[in-house]
Amino acid sequence: EDLITNISQCVNTSSRNITLTNLSTDTAYTVQVFAWTINGRGPPSSPQAFKTAKLPSSDPVSIKNFTAVLIDQSLEKCFCVKLNWYTDIYDTSTTKLLKYNLTYKTGNTSSSVEVT
């Protein structure tokens, strides 16, 4: 059984356009517009149907050739490490990489950094 959801949104009468956001993937929609005056609602526009795209499925991405090289060892004020890695993503049209998450720890303390 199909789940029918009615969504109603008012727009400024001078703009006559709207962008619908946060739609579900792989979902069929039908849209109609109604105009309102002080006398009530007018007849609906002809319905416009569309279906949102299905997100491509992808396997988790592996990190390859990860290296960590300590730099600036002569400076006692700050120690730095240069991190390098590669992924096995060859087709960016089917796999969209969202972010990397780097975690590091010393003793019992753990920290995390996101790279977008």
Side-chain angles (χ1 to χ4, degrees):
E1 182 176 311
D2 290 337
L3 175 66
I4 298 174
T5 304
N6 290 316
I7 302 169
S8 178
Q9 187 166 350
C10 294
V11 295
N12 184 317
T13 57
S14 64
S15 67
R16 292 188 303 276
N17 67 65
I18 188 172
T19 300
L20 299 176
T21 60
N22 299 319
L23 300 176
S24 299
T25 61
D26 195 26
T27 303
Y29 291 91
T30 302
V31 181
Q32 287 182 290
V33 177
F34 297 86
W36 287 79
T37 68
I38 59 170
N39 295 320
R41 187 181 86 176
S45 67
S46 59
Q48 297 293 312
F50 63 92
K51 185 174 181 180
T52 54
K54 186 175 185 178
L55 289 179
S57 61
S58 64
D59 294 328
V61 176
S62 298
I63 299 297
K64 308 283 186 189
N65 300 323
F66 178 66
T67 60
V69 178
L70 191 62
I71 57 176
D72 293 337
Q73 290 186 13
S74 61
L75 302 175
E76 294 184 21
K77 296 177 186 174
C78 175
F79 286 96
C80 301
V81 65
K82 182 177 181 179
L83 307 174
N84 288 298
W85 64 88
Y86 300 95
T87 64
D88 54 3
I89 297 176
Y90 300 107
D91 185 356
T92 56
S93 68
T94 60
T95 303
K96 179 169 175 48
L97 184 62
L98 301 176
K99 63 183 175 182
Y100 295 103
N101 185 275
L102 303 163
T103 57
Y104 55 97
K105 64 181 177 179
T106 178
N108 293 329
T109 304
S110 180
S111 297
S112 179
V113 171
E114 284 188 359
V115 180
T116 56

